Amino acid sequence: MPYQVLARKYRPQRFADVAGQDHVTRTLQNALEQGRIAHGYIFSGHRGIGKTTIARILACALNCHNTIGSPERPTPEPCLKCDACLEIRAGNAVDVIEIDAATNRGIDEIRELRDAARYRPARDRFKIYILDEAHQITDAAFNALLKTLEEPPDHIVFMMATTEPENIPQTIRSRCQHFSFHAVKLDDILGELRGIAAHEGVAADEAALSLLAEAGDGSMRDALSIMDQAIASAPVIDGKAQLSAAEIRELMGTVPNTVFEEILEFVARNDAATVLTTAGRLLDAGNSPSQIARQFVRYLRNCVVAKIASLTEDENSSDLLQISPDERRRAVRTALLFTEEELTRFLNVMLRTFDDLGFRQEQRLHLEMGLIKLVHLQRLVPVEEFLAQLPKTSGNSTPRVLPPQRAAIPAAPAPAPRPPANTPSRFSGAPEPAAPRTQAAPAPSISTSPFASNTAESAARPVASVISQPQTEGSLALAPEPVKEPSNVSPLAQPGVITMPEPSTGLNAHVAPSPIVLEEPVAIALQADENYDPSWENIVSPDEDPEATEPASQPVATSAAASGTAELQAAAVEALFATKKNNSAAEQLEESHWTIADGEVKIEVSLSKPMIGTIFRADVEAIIKAALREKGLVGVKISVVPAAVDNKPKEPKKPRSGSVQAKALDHPTVQKAQKLFNAEISTVFDLRKD
């Protein structure tokens, strides 16, 4: 008798022999016992998990000559002794027709099947059609079968096995009972392999059987096929084939997972050189880069699952990990070296690397680069840790990173003298004794305006934000290091923090200093005042106080943006006209409205958003910024937005001095024509030669 492969030799003959499909076998046995037989079944699922096998067992159970409950057949299982069971098992039953739908997929074959289905079975109870790979049938053929499935004869049963149920039309699926098969679990495959190895007289250790079960990837048929190949290649000792994990791995061309564990240990130690050395050893041994990447992805997946499931080396059982106990412990050891986020990033990198190997020329290079990325990924700081290191602000405002302090700051001048006698102290609110009045040299101000650069010359530019008091006698400049202050000035605790008095109800009331945190460093001038009122509302500048009669002894610095926008706008327009390529943008700027605030120049023009993107390009913005830089505005942001709709009639546009429009309007002939016809000049063409 010719040799029969293990997948056919040990094919299940009863429902109880099928591994891993209890939900299907239990339902079918109950239907047989209750007599609830459907006229159409669809069996779908992974390859090699028993779809066609269960269809044959169901055909035997339907046409078995022995009645359920009889001594010969006490259960719904087929008896496997009558003529019908023996013929179906041998594959030569007349009333059980098994069709390869991948070959007989056309409408002509289905028409023949439909015509033959009208005749009653020759001997048995049912005429059964088993359509294997049913998703290969064409739509036209399915439509030809549709009416027969909807109203079939009482002696017809259709069974369709497929790996792609979504390709079967919904009209067919709705007329059949659909059973979705599961992938066979590792433990079920391992148990079957143990029994077959013992029955075949093969000496196989547990590691070898586990490797065969993992190679099956949920398919019993694949595992048996690999086992059949391994037995043929194994050495024979005392008449028994000896299966070992090393020989099976060599036969399959796979890499032991111990290598991947070592690679990830080197990754944890940031040892990129050893990682490349290990990868080179694998490649020099003849392993394919794609195979290495595929196994590495599978191993990283197991590590991620072990980390998420919080497994340990002692308690490592989980349905999510369909691998042997040794491999589970190995995955747990690797998962303890990294965080869940790191393992997830490793898996994403290796998935991209595996995809790149499919269409790249230098596969070794891409594999090595993918492994090096794993080493460098550990240097990334998670976003949560980065946000936790930022300084926290009060309320719900977003924390901001303060800019670095300036390097060189001039020393503070001599302290200001005390105010006259019986004058309340600036920060204490109590009178102090008189002291001789002397004139102190003014202190230099430090400018960190949003329009100023970090160069040395920016320190001489005016600042935009100054807190001042009338009737000054001296000033205190903000310095990076604390300096000795007079008794009537509160010391600065730290850069960017100013202590100011809280409102009080009396001159002699005790005032507790309250810190004010500045989000942006600004120049501060704290000055003495003879007529000081401790109330917070009275701390105003001379420009804001209508009762202030005596101007400050030191002028208040202002920003270049505060001097008005007309000059800045004119400079930008002239710069654009000078290029002779951006006249449209220049003409729009002439009629625009400018607003400068918070380091941003907002320009409102009478254009829509698409036109703004067309006219105000990146080169136009660069020209505008250069013109503003010459006027003292550095580091500003240009924002061009559509202006609000204004229904008021606009005044005629006045042409720019020296332009073609201006020369045309100054011409006597044009002026006479305007006066004679009461006309307006809309367009002027310059026909002069350059």
Side-chain angles (χ1 to χ4, degrees):
M1 182 178 179
Y3 174 75
Q4 194 174 23
V5 296
L6 298 179
R8 293 185 60 192
K9 183 177 180 180
Y10 293 96
R11 193 167 196 168
Q13 302 299 325
R14 297 174 181 267
F15 289 116
D17 299 335
V18 180
Q21 310 299 336
D22 295 338
H23 65 293
V24 178
T25 58
R26 182 178 61 254
T27 304
L28 293 178
Q29 290 184 77
N30 293 338
L32 289 169
E33 191 171 7
Q34 300 172 11
R36 306 176 67 88
I37 307 301
H39 61 272
Y41 294 93
I42 296 178
F43 301 142
S44 66
H46 197 50
R47 67 186 186 279
I49 56 178
K51 300 184 295 296
T52 308
T53 298
I54 286 184
R56 291 180 179 178
I57 296 174
L58 179 59
C60 289
L62 289 173
N63 286 340
C64 184
H65 293 172
N66 297 315
T67 306
I68 299 175
S70 62
E72 294 81 7
R73 188 188 178 190
T75 63
E77 296 277 9
C79 68
L80 301 180
K81 297 178 181 179
C82 64
D83 295 339
C85 291
L86 294 176
E87 290 178 359
I88 294 174
R89 182 178 179 182
N92 53 14
V94 178
D95 295 325
V96 177
I97 301 96
E98 188 169 346
I99 301 174
D100 179 17
T103 304
N104 304 281
R105 60 192 301 264
I107 189 172
D108 295 335
E109 290 83 359
I110 298 301
R111 282 174 179 171
E112 293 178 1
L113 183 152
R114 184 187 59 185
D115 294 340
R118 294 182 297 176
Y119 302 101
R120 299 192 64 84
R123 181 192 60 189
D124 299 330
R125 180 183 176 187
F126 294 99
K127 179 178 283 190
I128 300 172
Y129 289 92
I130 301 176
L131 304 177
D132 199 7
E133 301 297 330
H135 61 274
Q136 300 280 4
I137 299 177
T138 62
D139 293 341
F142 270 126
N143 292 334
L145 188 63
L146 188 60
K147 192 63 176 179
T148 304
L149 274 176
E150 186 176 7
E151 298 177 359
D154 56 358
H155 60 272
I156 291 294
V157 176
F158 288 98
M159 301 180 190
M160 289 176 280
T162 177
T163 57
E164 301 177 10
E166 63 277 1
N167 290 339
I168 297 179
Q170 183 64 33
T171 53
I172 298 293
R173 282 185 284 171
S174 63
R175 288 167 171 80
C176 302
Q177 290 188 9
H178 187 187
F179 290 88
S180 180
F181 284 51
H182 300 164
V184 185
K185 294 183 178 180
L186 178 75
D187 296 338
D188 295 335
I189 299 178
L190 199 57
E192 293 291 331
L193 295 182
R194 289 196 195 100
I196 294 174
H199 194 272
E200 292 288 325
V202 176
D205 55 6
E206 193 67 18
L209 294 178
S210 299
L211 188 59
L212 291 174
E214 292 177 18
D217 194 19
S219 173
M220 182 67 72
R221 184 176 61 210
D222 290 358
L224 291 176
S225 299
I226 299 172
M227 183 180 184
D228 210 345
Q229 185 180 1
I231 293 175
S233 64
V236 179
I237 301 176
D238 297 335
K240 290 186 176 182
Q242 305 291 324
L243 293 182
S244 63
E247 294 177 353
I248 295 175
R249 191 174 289 110
E250 183 179 359
L251 177 66
M252 297 170 54
T254 59
V255 179
N257 287 338
T258 54
V259 176
F260 301 122
E261 183 181 9
E262 293 176 0
I263 290 177
L264 289 176
E265 288 178 356
F266 297 140
V267 169
R269 294 198 293 263
N270 289 323
D271 192 353
T274 310
V275 170
L276 289 182
T277 303
T278 306
R281 187 173 69 250
L282 294 176
L283 295 171
D284 294 340
N287 295 287
S288 170
S290 299
Q291 179 67 18
I292 295 174
R294 182 186 296 108
Q295 286 189 251
F296 204 177
V297 166
R298 187 184 297 270
Y299 184 76
L300 284 172
R301 180 264 175 192
N302 295 336
C303 294
V304 171
V305 173
K307 189 69 175 182
I308 294 175
S310 302
L311 302 182
T312 61
E313 293 191 38
D314 298 330
E315 299 179 1
N316 53 23
S317 60
S318 175
D319 293 338
L320 297 175
L321 285 177
Q322 294 296 319
I323 53 179
S324 63
D326 292 338
E327 293 299 329
R328 291 177 188 172
R329 286 190 289 269
R330 181 173 291 109
V332 169
R333 288 196 298 269
T334 303
L336 294 176
L337 299 176
F338 307 98
T339 63
E340 182 180 335
E341 292 79 7
E342 290 175 336
L343 290 173
T344 305
R345 287 196 290 265
F346 292 168
L347 183 57
N348 289 333
V349 169
M350 290 311 301
L351 283 172
R352 289 196 299 268
T353 302
F354 177 71
D355 292 339
D356 291 342
L357 294 177
F359 56 89
R360 298 293 186 181
Q361 295 291 334
E362 298 292 337
Q363 290 190 348
R364 176 166 185 160
L365 172 64
H366 287 280
L367 178 61
E368 291 174 343
M369 290 303 298
L371 295 176
I372 292 177
K373 288 179 183 179
L374 302 184
V375 179
H376 293 288
L377 278 177
Q378 295 186 102
R379 303 176 184 176
L380 298 178
V381 179
V383 177
E384 295 81 4
E385 296 182 9
F386 176 75
L387 294 178
Q389 296 175 1
L390 297 179
K392 296 182 179 179
T393 59
S394 59
N396 297 326
S397 59
T398 304
R400 301 179 59 182
V401 180
L402 295 178
Q405 297 180 358
R406 299 188 179 276
I409 297 180
R418 296 178 181 271
N422 299 330
T423 302
S425 175
R426 168 60 66 113
F427 297 104
S428 63
E432 293 188 3
R437 300 176 59 88
T438 58
Q439 182 67 30
S445 298
I446 306 303
S447 171
T448 56
S449 171
F451 304 109
S453 62
N454 291 331
T455 58
E457 62 179 353
S458 63
R461 294 178 181 153
V463 296
S465 300
V466 175
I467 303 176
S468 59
Q469 300 296 330
Q471 197 66 24
T472 58
E473 295 287 344
S475 62
L476 172 65
L478 183 64
E481 298 181 359
V483 296
K484 186 175 180 181
E485 305 292 342
S487 59
N488 62 336
V489 179
S490 175
L492 298 177
Q494 56 185 358
V497 179
I498 307 169
T499 304
M500 297 296 292
E502 296 290 336
S504 59
T505 56
L507 294 177
N508 297 326
H510 176 70
V511 179
S514 175
I516 301 175
V517 180
L518 300 180
E519 293 188 356
E520 295 288 346
V522 297
I524 305 299
L526 303 180
Q527 300 164 340
D529 183 13
E530 294 181 355
N531 301 320
Y532 172 71
D533 188 345
S535 176
W536 178 260
E537 291 80 7
N538 292 335
I539 303 180
V540 293
S541 63
D543 296 335
E544 298 175 353
D545 189 2
E547 299 179 1
T549 56
E550 186 176 356
S553 60
Q554 182 177 350
V556 179
T558 59
S559 173
S563 61
T565 59
E567 183 180 356
L568 301 176
Q569 184 175 359
V573 171
E574 291 296 332
L576 290 176
F577 274 122
T579 61
K580 298 182 179 180
K581 297 181 180 180
N582 301 296
N583 292 342
S584 299
E587 292 174 357
Q588 290 294 329
L589 285 187
E590 283 184 327
E591 301 177 357
S592 62
H593 178 266
W594 287 39
T595 304
I596 302 178
D598 298 331
E600 180 182 7
V601 177
K602 183 178 180 182
I603 304 175
E604 299 181 10
V605 297
S606 58
L607 293 175
S608 60
K609 288 186 178 180
M611 290 300 299
I612 290 177
T614 304
I615 296 178
F616 291 91
R617 303 178 301 275
D619 56 338
V620 175
E621 182 178 351
I623 296 174
I624 297 175
K625 286 185 177 181
L628 298 182
R629 195 180 301 114
E630 294 179 358
K631 293 297 182 178
L633 292 185
V634 182
V636 295
K637 178 181 178 182
I638 305 298
S639 176
V640 183
V641 297
V645 179
D646 189 3
N647 297 326
K648 297 181 179 180
K650 296 183 178 180
E651 297 181 357
K653 176 184 174 183
K654 185 177 180 181
R656 184 173 57 91
S657 177
S659 63
V660 179
Q661 289 82 356
K663 292 181 179 180
L665 292 177
D666 293 339
H667 198 278
T669 304
V670 175
Q671 292 179 356
K672 290 181 179 179
Q674 283 183 297
K675 184 177 180 181
L676 179 61
F677 300 104
N678 193 21
E680 293 183 0
I681 305 299
S682 60
T683 307
V684 178
F685 297 96
D686 190 0
L687 302 180
R688 299 173 299 176
K689 296 182 179 180
D690 296 338

